[in-house]
Amino acid sequence: MDCPVVWLYCGGYIMAFNSNIPEGPLKDKWTDHLFNMKLVNPSNKRKYKIIVVGTGLAGGSAAATLAELGYNVEAFSYHESPRRAHSIAAQGGINAAKNYPNDGDSIYRLFYDTIKGGDYRAREANVHRLAEISNNIIDQCVAQGVPFAREYGGLLDNRSFGGAQVSRTFYARGQTGQQLLLGAYSALTRQMKTGNVKFHPRHEMLDLVMVDDKARGIITRNLETGEIKSHAADAVILATGGYGNVFYLSTNAMASNATAAWRAHRKGAYFANPCFTQIHPTCIPVSSEHQSKLTLMSESLRNDGRVWVPKEKGDKRKASEIPENERDYYLERMYPSFGNLVPRDVASRRAKNMCDAGHGVGETGLAVYLDFSDVISRNGQEWVAEKYGNLFDMYKQITGENPYEGPMMIYPAVHYTMGGLWVDYNLMSSIEGLHVLGEANFSDHGANRLGASALMQGLADGYFVIPYTIGNYLASNKLVDIDTNHPAFKDAEDKLKESNDKLFAIKGSRTVDDFHKELGKIMWEYVGMARNKEGLEKALVEIPKLRKEFWKDVKIPGSETELNPELEKAGRLADFLELGELMARDALNREESCGGHFRQEFQTEENEAKRNDADFTFAAAWEYKGENQTPELHKEDLNFEHVKLTTRSYK
Amino acid sequence: MNWLTTFMNSSIGKKFTMGTSGLLLCLFIAQHLVGNMMLFGGEALFNSYVATLSAFKPLVRIIEVIISIIFLSHIISGIRLTLDNKRANSSSYNVNTGSETSSFSSRTMAITGSVVFIFVIMHLSTIWYRFQLVHGSGSYYDIILGDAVGFGNPIYAAFYVVAMILMGVHLKHGFQSAFQTFGVSDSRYKGLIEKMSMIFWLVIPAGFTWIALWFGFIAEAI
Amino acid sequence: MQINLKVWRQENRQAIGGYKNYSVSDVSEHMSFFEMLDKLNNELVRKGEDPIAFDHDCREGICGSCGVTINGRAHGPLRGVTSCQLHMRSFKDGDTLVVEPWRAASFPVIKDLVVDRKSFDRIMESGGYVSINTGGTPDANAIPIPKIDADAAFDSATCIGCGACVAICKNSAAMLFVGAKVTQFTKLPQGKVERRERVKNMVAQMDAEGFGSCTNTGACEAECPKEISLTNIATLNKEYLKASLC
Ligand SMILES: Cc1cc2nc3c(=O)[nH]c(=O)nc-3n(C[C@H](O)[C@H](O)[C@H](O)COP(=O)(O)OP(=O)(O)OC[C@H]3O[C@@H](n4cnc5c(N)ncnc54)[C@H](O)[C@@H]3O)c2cc1C
Ligand code: HEM
Ligand code: SF4
Ligand code: FES
């Protein structure tokens, strides 16, 4: 069955829950689909208005490309400029199946690795399309003037990343995300100049507006003046990033949040696989109570760094005093073929196991070493600096220790969310006209994302998928003419003002940060790296309790009509407090271990994740049922026709 | 000529004018110093040097006009730049840390330039005026060393010395800055520019200063 | 440790701002400067006072959101770091820090330490790109680029658009920011096609935004968290002169 259609009976009418995967052989699906989709006449494009919320890699590339095609685009970001989006922080690189190093890579291999890396919980058709498009992305970015790393012969250089045995990662020192985002941003500014894109900086989307069950606009708050305003359009695109900050401490930027996605969810968009969170193995360990965020040390470091802990439990000697034969290079020992380059979920879990077993290092015992002494003595400090200079500097800046002299200390931290709003093959959510791109959707990474694949997915979605599929949507639907005078907008604006008033009216005693930290602790403890039934059930009690407390006791200073960061944070936290609960519910429901979701009850004797393919080969799409109501689960069955489901082995 | 006005009114265009005129003025002062050195040759040599120059009066007048234009354009664009920059930099910080991030000479260009300007005006209204406009048959040498407006007047000589030191400070930054403005300051030329800069900010002002000190104070003492 | 702060407070664009003194105790040297401000802000909120607004997001020196002057130094006393990367171990117990927003006519204050840097975006709009559309581009390896050029382009492209260069410049000139972008494209074959128009348009926009003229004092280079060098300004000048006069 190529086209799993699940018909749902909801509220009196039948709603299609259809992944809309095209018919035909895997490798022809996208090509055929491109041909079969309807086109919008070039001269008509101008008449369509498309709202793009979020101008990171996914949203920025989408907005620019749609504008180039002639659509009338309005883009929104809570940032002051598209260049500030969280995508800027991506360090390591972006994958593509170019096979430039001639090491046997191909589109099929990238597809295969991504499906396998995702622990067989992603859609084959989507992932294959992603692999096909990957090569165009590199061409596009180079043409924009993105200064990727090059070899002396002038051609592009590649590095290896976890979960792959080929070198397919293109990079720009440790600042790949920055360079790619600046590329997309430059394309976007070019369209801003032509007027095809109207950009609204410091505008936060706070609600989705639907007319006739189709997404037709949004409500925003101008963060500088507090003005609440409606915007109508023919289609809405959300590219608002991930929700890792539900854990309070994560590698995400401080303002990254789930509000846009969550409010769309409340309006009917299904939220898929919320429990699939990625814990990144190489982050700088937590050092104090006041820590506001965690810093990633790019996974690319695992190319040349070796991970170890002392063999002796509780060994408090300095790293330099521990002789070679008393060190346990545990990843190399356990996984001889992938070694330090096992996928993230495996590396993270192993680090946690080692620390839980008493081998952890540093003051807190919650860290392992990442050692560069071998590569420094082999290739010299300069070589290392050329490749990782900025990461080493960053490490030194944060910890005050020089990683050229001793090993780095690392520990896993929340990094990425594979889950997100459910979308079909065309990147349309369960709400018609609402499309979701980038980290905000759930599409391509299954239960675990491979390194350097998020940038690829974001740009694939924005540059090469949505520009076609949205055309198909617009050409296939006859939309009624509406503007912001439609009562649906007024209604949404009123509700929003009401909820803001409610927040101010609480006048409690605790700050937003207090609550957020507490939520983060619950999430990390019970919905973190290792989960179990008991803990998840506890979370399902604790989170609603905290939510109640929040609505009773939070304190928001200032007023609504000014720049008010506390109000912004409060709105976002209110959503996290609901999303956190859904994550726990999803994790409880998924009685298996797969990828980033590790249930302690389900593991092999060697402590590897044990999947349950018979019962859980599906994407869990949750439907919102109202405040404090249990959401409803819809299952999208995943059909694997090309890849055989096996136990992942990186040994 | 639209492109020219656009260019001249652009920030970089104004800088270009500044740099070009500044460097031409540097050539002028270099040439001027050579002339002044004739003082060491004694009265006869110096007088005949000035007399020879006077023989080419029309040519000298043309050169003088050109130099005046250069000088005026330097000053006018200097004033424009300074005003533009005051406007751009609306308010200042509570703590001023200029000295931690930039050099003294670069921060004082308008001041050092203005002092040099006052000096030049004075210099013209005295020496040049006496040489060129009211000169009868007396000795040029005597005017220069005389008590009226020459080095014989200690106040005059002291101001001369101060002005020359400040000109040195002006050129310490100005000379190499001009090359940065022309975009030729990459590493290939850096060494060369630095050496040439030494000539202009150190050697030449030192030369003028030496003359003033010698004829104003030292020669008299010995 | 205990840190005394003298912070610029300004309600909004129109308001007249002023300094206000605070004192933060129990500051740990592991804290970042912003974590210290977070602590103060939480205390202020609990007391019912308005917390200090400041821009920040990534807190790892790459997004370019943050930017305050601390004791007159843009991004604080250290070289090569952003405000968010500054840790309290750089300060001593009892220190008084004067914290101010970027000050420049083209960066109006929005609130407290938050300024409006849209002028940078408008400069980018005027030409900070290669004019190609999505799709139809040649294979990425079709044009080899000497490593040395690619690396040089990268060095310029690391600019995070924070505005420290403008903030510290006595002329509030944006030449380092603009120079970095122009240099990036000058080094790459992709950027060469439009180099003349690009530099003319970007400089025109820079002037129209009211940034000052560079007088080569070099303060920008000293304060730039990404250590963008003055050579970028020389390249900008050269490109502009060539485009305008040749
Ligand atoms: C430290 C770090 C390193 C990483 N390194 C890599 C790597 O090497 N390779 C890789 O492939 N991936 C990497 N990733 C993952 C990758 O960077 C992200 O998944 C990806 O950039 C997300 O892009 P995006 O466009 O979906 O969202 P974002 O870049 O997060 O953009 C979100 C946009 O939405 C806007 N927005 C959000 N909500 C609203 C709202 N309510 N109203 C208005 N605007 C809104 C924001 O202003 C922003 O413009 C890394 C992630 C982190 C945290
Ligand atoms: C003998 C006289 C002078 C010489 C040789 C001279 C030389 C120079 C040079 C070479 C520069 C550098 C230009 C650049 O950066 O591109 C400069 C800059 C400048 N000059 Fe002069 N100058 C002289 C007199 C003056 C006078 C009289 C004034 C004042 C009114 C003045 C004001 C300035 C200013 C404000 C600058 C600023 C530009 C900068 O800082 O780069 N100069 N000068
Ligand atoms: S040049 Fe440096 S200081 Fe200026 S905006 Fe760029 S990164 Fe900031
Ligand atoms: S907060 Fe991103 S650079 Fe400082």
Side-chain angles (χ1 to χ4, degrees):
Chain A
M1 193 177 72
D2 237 324
C3 220
V5 181
V6 184
W7 293 99
L8 299 167
Y9 191 73
C10 38
Y13 60 93
I14 303 243
M15 176 179 184
F17 175 52
N18 184 341
S19 56
N20 286 320
I21 299 170
E23 303 284 341
L26 182 65
K27 65 177 194 355
D28 297 333
K29 281 184 198 288
W30 178 236
T31 323
D32 291 350
H33 191 53
L34 281 176
F35 179 73
N36 291 329
M37 281 189 289
K38 288 195 189 152
L39 298 174
V40 177
N41 182 319
S43 58
N44 278 342
K45 288 199 175 112
R46 210 167 21 87
K47 296 183 195 147
Y48 285 108
K49 188 169 187 187
I50 301 175
I51 283 177
V52 180
V53 187
T55 46
L57 276 181
S61 57
T65 307
L66 290 168
E68 287 162 8
L69 289 172
Y71 291 107
N72 181 356
V73 178
E74 293 221 23
F76 298 82
S77 164
Y78 58 67
H79 287 107
E80 61 166 340
S81 160
R83 67 182 300 156
R84 311 273 183 239
H86 168 57
S87 296
I88 202 99
Q91 302 170 345
I94 175 166
N95 287 333
K98 284 280 194 188
N99 192 29
Y100 284 157
N102 196 27
D103 54 0
D105 201 5
S106 62
I107 288 175
Y108 193 82
R109 188 179 293 281
L110 175 54
F111 155 74
Y112 180 88
D113 286 349
T114 308
I115 289 279
K116 177 183 168 196
D119 220 356
Y120 310 98
R121 291 293 175 261
R123 256 187 225 145
E124 276 190 344
N126 280 56
V127 176
H128 196 273
R129 172 177 67 191
L130 176 64
E132 284 173 58
I133 291 172
S134 67
N135 290 342
N136 302 349
I137 298 173
I138 303 301
D139 298 343
Q140 183 65 32
C141 296
V142 166
Q144 285 170 344
V146 169
F148 282 122
R150 287 179 183 266
E151 315 241 26
Y152 282 99
L155 301 185
L156 292 161
D157 190 19
N158 285 129
R159 56 163 63 144
S160 333
F161 251 60
Q165 283 170 314
V166 292
S167 263
R168 62 158 74 99
T169 305
F170 294 80
Y171 66 101
R173 238 166 276 173
Q175 282 149 261
T176 317
Q178 179 195 29
Q179 295 310 318
L180 294 175
L181 182 61
L182 292 182
Y185 163 67
S186 73
L188 187 58
T189 55
R190 180 167 158 250
Q191 295 307 315
M192 278 148 68
K193 182 78 183 174
T194 65
N196 288 355
V197 174
K198 185 165 177 354
F199 177 62
H200 303 262
R202 294 193 201 267
H203 275 65
E204 181 163 22
M205 164 190 162
L206 292 176
D207 210 352
L208 178 74
V209 178
M210 284 157 66
V211 175
D212 297 341
D213 296 318
K214 291 191 167 67
R216 292 305 300 273
I218 60 170
I219 311 289
T220 58
R221 176 169 182 269
N222 179 332
L223 300 184
E224 190 191 324
T225 61
E227 188 196 11
I228 305 268
K229 211 174 155 192
S230 295
H231 309 267
D234 296 295
V236 177
I237 294 176
L238 297 190
T240 48
Y243 51 88
N245 274 346
V246 66
F247 289 87
Y248 185 68
L249 285 183
S250 85
T251 63
N252 287 10
M254 299 296 289
S256 294
N257 68 81
T259 288
W262 191 255
R263 303 212 173 165
H265 174 59
R266 290 176 64 127
K267 283 278 161 90
Y270 295 173
F271 210 111
N273 298 336
C275 80
F276 287 168
T277 12
Q278 180 164 79
I279 315 277
H280 196 289
T282 47
C283 302
I284 300 178
V286 179
S287 71
S288 89
E289 258 299 296
H290 297 286
Q291 194 121 355
S292 55
K293 77 159 297 220
L294 296 172
T295 305
L296 177 80
M297 291 281 101
S298 165
E299 164 165 310
S300 61
L301 292 171
R302 284 199 279 142
N303 262 314
D304 293 298
R306 300 178 68 200
V307 176
W308 65 274
V309 291
K311 279 187 181 159
E312 187 81 24
K313 281 186 189 180
D315 191 337
K316 284 287 163 210
R317 285 177 293 175
K318 278 207 285 203
S320 56
E321 289 162 7
I322 302 179
E324 196 62 27
N325 63 357
E326 290 174 35
R327 300 175 175 192
D328 181 8
Y329 295 90
Y330 58 90
L331 288 178
E332 297 171 21
R333 170 169 63 76
M334 296 180 195
Y335 306 96
S337 68
F338 277 70
N340 293 298
L341 285 177
V342 289
R344 294 178 173 170
D345 52 333
V346 179
S348 293
R349 209 150 47 234
R350 288 301 174 187
K352 177 175 158 55
N353 293 157
M354 284 294 156
C355 295
D356 288 351
H359 296 278
V361 299
E363 263 175 55
T364 55
L366 287 179
V368 301
Y369 288 127
L370 180 64
D371 201 327
F372 293 88
S373 49
D374 278 6
V375 65
I376 290 177
S377 57
R378 195 165 61 237
N379 295 339
Q381 180 161 330
E382 211 167 286
W383 187 89
V384 175
E386 156 96 357
K387 246 180 144 161
Y388 307 114
N390 70 316
L391 297 173
F392 276 52
D393 293 347
M394 201 147 94
Y395 184 86
K396 182 160 181 223
Q397 188 51 44
I398 292 172
T399 62
E401 281 167 34
N402 184 348
Y404 290 105
E405 284 161 10
M408 289 184 180
M409 280 197 277
I410 54 166
Y411 197 67
V414 174
H415 175 59
Y416 182 86
T417 49
M418 279 74 71
L421 291 182
W422 180 90
V423 289
D424 68 2
Y425 187 74
N426 295 317
L427 304 181
M428 188 157 84
S429 73
S430 57
I431 295 177
E432 278 195 51
L434 177 69
H435 298 74
V436 190
L437 322 181
E439 194 174 339
N441 73 23
F442 89 116
S443 68
D444 297 352
H445 307 294
N448 174 53
R449 172 175 72 78
L450 289 184
S453 287
L455 301 181
M456 171 170 73
Q457 182 226 332
L459 289 180
D461 290 358
Y463 281 134
F464 295 111
V465 179
I466 197 68
Y468 305 110
T469 58
I470 210 164
N472 186 40
Y473 169 76
L474 294 170
S476 322
N477 284 280
K478 182 94 192 77
L479 299 166
V480 289
D481 267 343
I482 55 149
D483 59 21
T484 51
N485 293 321
H486 192 282
F489 287 96
K490 176 85 177 55
D491 188 45
E493 279 188 28
D494 288 346
K495 286 218 174 89
L496 184 60
K497 283 180 192 143
E498 220 171 88
S499 114
N500 277 350
D501 290 347
K502 202 168 137 198
L503 276 171
F504 279 110
I506 300 170
K507 296 196 168 63
S509 66
R510 297 174 64 189
T511 66
V512 180
D513 285 357
D514 286 346
F515 284 106
H516 199 168
K517 278 184 196 178
E518 202 171 323
L519 174 66
K521 279 194 187 131
I522 299 174
M523 294 301 293
W524 182 246
E525 188 65 27
Y526 305 115
V527 199
M529 238 190 302
R531 305 153 173 185
N532 57 48
K533 184 159 184 285
E534 200 188 337
L536 291 166
E537 279 168 350
K538 181 133 198 240
L540 285 176
V541 176
E542 296 289 321
I543 300 170
K545 210 163 89 191
L546 185 65
R547 190 167 62 229
K548 225 183 243 155
E549 196 56 31
F550 169 84
W551 283 102
K552 238 174 40 209
D553 197 24
V554 74
K555 183 164 194 169
I556 318 280
S559 73
E560 204 191 326
T561 54
E562 60 174 340
L563 181 69
N564 190 339
E566 291 297 310
L567 175 65
E568 295 165 26
K569 288 195 288 186
R572 295 168 192 165
L573 181 59
D575 294 332
F576 279 143
L577 283 163
E578 295 181 9
L579 169 61
E581 185 182 345
L582 184 66
M583 291 168 71
R585 190 174 304 283
D586 187 41
L588 182 63
N589 182 69
R590 192 169 278 278
E591 298 189 323
E592 62 162 351
S593 291
C594 61
H597 169 64
F598 192 78
R599 283 282 297 265
Q600 285 165 327
E601 305 97 311
F602 308 101
Q603 50 181 311
T604 66
E605 268 139 45
E606 291 151 319
N607 307 105
E608 301 290 356
K610 199 158 121 195
R611 284 199 326 266
N612 175 351
D613 292 333
D615 299 323
F616 288 97
T617 312
F618 62 79
W622 297 89
E623 185 186 351
Y624 186 77
K625 286 285 175 191
E627 223 149 297
N628 298 319
Q629 302 294 313
T630 313
E632 184 179 335
L633 171 67
H634 304 292
K635 299 175 182 175
E636 180 200 333
D637 287 322
L638 300 168
N639 297 293
F640 291 91
E641 295 177 354
H642 295 82
V643 180
K644 215 168 92 239
L645 274 65
T646 53
T647 302
R648 283 191 313 169
S649 169
Y650 293 96
K651 297 212 179 267
Chain B
M1 295 302 269
N2 191 15
W3 64 270
L4 190 64
T5 41
T6 308
F7 173 73
M8 295 300 277
N9 286 322
S10 70
S11 54
I12 298 181
K14 280 176 233 164
K15 287 285 301 170
F16 181 73
T17 316
M18 209 65 210
T20 326
S21 55
L23 285 191
L24 290 172
L25 290 177
C26 286
L27 288 182
F28 165 72
I29 56 165
Q31 148 332 100
H32 198 300
L33 179 66
V34 173
N36 287 9
M37 285 295 173
M38 304 282 177
L39 285 171
F40 288 107
E43 182 162 3
L45 179 70
F46 186 77
N47 280 347
S48 74
Y49 162 70
V50 181
T52 321
L53 277 185
S54 305
F56 298 96
K57 249 204 175 122
L59 187 63
V60 171
R61 280 286 116 84
I62 291 171
I63 293 176
E64 277 172 356
V65 170
I66 293 174
I67 293 172
S68 312
I69 291 171
I70 292 170
F71 198 71
L72 280 177
S73 63
H74 190 77
I75 293 165
I76 291 169
S77 44
I79 293 171
R80 284 178 73 191
L81 269 179
T82 310
L83 292 181
D84 283 355
N85 289 342
K86 279 263 140 45
R87 210 173 310 125
N89 189 13
S90 49
S91 51
S92 58
Y93 292 106
N94 187 274
V95 189
N96 185 349
T97 53
S99 59
E100 291 169 38
T101 51
S102 57
S103 64
F104 174 77
S105 57
S106 73
R107 277 175 282 122
T108 49
M109 290 300 276
I111 299 166
T112 51
S114 303
V115 177
V116 173
F117 176 67
I118 294 167
F119 167 77
V120 170
I121 297 300
M122 206 178 90
H123 190 64
L124 289 180
S125 65
T126 52
I127 307 290
W128 183 81
Y129 175 74
R130 276 165 209 240
F131 271 35
Q132 304 289 341
L133 298 184
V134 296
H135 187 247
S137 57
S139 160
Y140 295 107
Y141 189 80
D142 285 345
I143 301 179
I144 295 280
L145 302 188
D147 290 342
V149 295
F151 294 132
N153 178 340
I155 296 175
Y156 181 82
F159 182 56
Y160 192 102
V161 170
V162 169
M164 285 308 115
I165 291 173
L166 291 186
M167 186 175 83
V169 175
H170 191 78
L171 292 179
K172 171 95 174 49
H173 176 69
F175 187 81
Q176 52 81 29
S177 170
F179 289 90
Q180 169 83 358
T181 299
F182 302 151
V184 286
S185 65
D186 55 18
S187 49
R188 256 179 308 169
Y189 304 109
K190 218 166 203 144
L192 184 67
I193 293 171
E194 257 159 38
K195 276 187 206 117
M196 293 202 341
S197 171
M198 279 276 270
I199 299 181
F200 283 92
W201 77 262
L202 189 64
V203 178
I204 293 183
F208 282 111
T209 310
W210 176 243
I211 294 173
L213 289 177
W214 180 261
F215 291 101
F217 305 98
I218 303 170
E220 224 152 273
I222 51 182
Chain C
M1 53 186 172
Q2 154 115 10
I3 296 288
N4 303 312
L5 296 172
K6 182 171 168 188
V7 184
W8 181 262
R9 302 299 311 257
Q10 180 174 335
E11 258 177 54
N12 51 44
R13 282 178 198 261
Q14 292 76 34
I16 297 166
Y19 297 92
K20 218 169 156 192
N21 294 320
Y22 301 94
S23 146
V24 196
S25 40
D26 296 327
V27 175
S28 127
E29 54 163 9
H30 292 304
M31 272 184 189
S32 71
F33 178 76
F34 282 172
E35 281 162 1
M36 182 272 298
L37 282 189
D38 289 344
K39 185 171 186 299
L40 171 63
N41 274 346
N42 272 293
E43 284 163 14
L44 291 178
V45 173
R46 280 189 208 105
K47 278 197 285 189
E49 286 176 43
D50 207 22
I52 302 160
F54 61 100
D55 254 332
H56 64 99
D57 199 18
C58 74
R59 295 215 176 172
E60 53 188 58
I62 193 72
C63 73
S65 297
C66 67
V68 293
T69 32
I70 302 172
N71 289 343
R73 294 287 304 271
H75 289 307
L78 300 186
R79 292 209 162 196
V81 298
T82 52
S83 311
C84 62
Q85 289 176 294
L86 203 60
H87 279 70
M88 294 313 292
R89 69 177 91 86
S90 304
F91 304 105
K92 294 188 311 293
D93 185 31
D95 273 359
T96 297
L97 309 179
V98 185
V99 187
E100 298 171 80
W102 286 169
R103 294 195 191 281
S106 305
F107 286 167
V109 173
I110 293 178
K111 183 176 182 182
D112 298 345
L113 305 172
V114 178
V115 300
D116 180 351
R117 286 170 288 200
K118 280 200 215 82
S119 43
F120 268 15
D121 280 330
R122 287 188 293 262
I123 294 176
M124 283 291 293
E125 278 175 39
S126 70
Y129 41 75
V130 177
S131 298
I132 50 146
N133 286 351
T134 303
T137 48
D139 183 82
N141 259 349
I143 313 169
I145 302 176
K147 182 169 163 45
I148 193 166
D149 291 342
D151 286 351
F154 178 87
D155 286 340
S156 302
T158 56
C159 164
I160 57 174
C162 63
C165 45
V166 175
I168 199 66
C169 176
K170 74 175 180 63
N171 311 316
S172 300
M175 295 280 281
L176 198 62
F177 169 76
V178 179
K181 201 32 73 187
V182 165
T183 306
Q184 176 195 346
F185 287 131
T186 305
K187 299 280 180 204
L188 296 172
Q190 290 85 347
K192 292 223 160 99
V193 180
E194 303 166 89
R195 66 198 282 185
R196 295 170 75 91
E197 286 314 304
R198 174 181 304 115
V199 70
K200 283 202 273 188
N201 291 339
M202 288 183 83
V203 169
Q205 188 62 35
M206 171 180 90
D207 292 349
E209 294 292 345
F211 290 103
S213 290
C214 171
T215 58
N216 305 322
T217 67
C220 52
E221 181 188 55
E223 290 295 63
C224 170
K226 296 295 141 186
E227 301 182 312
I228 305 276
S229 83
L230 281 185
T231 320
N232 288 274
I233 295 183
T235 305
L236 170 62
N237 287 331
K238 186 160 68 186
E239 287 294 309
Y240 187 76
L241 295 179
K242 269 205 275 190
S244 301
L245 301 178
C246 309

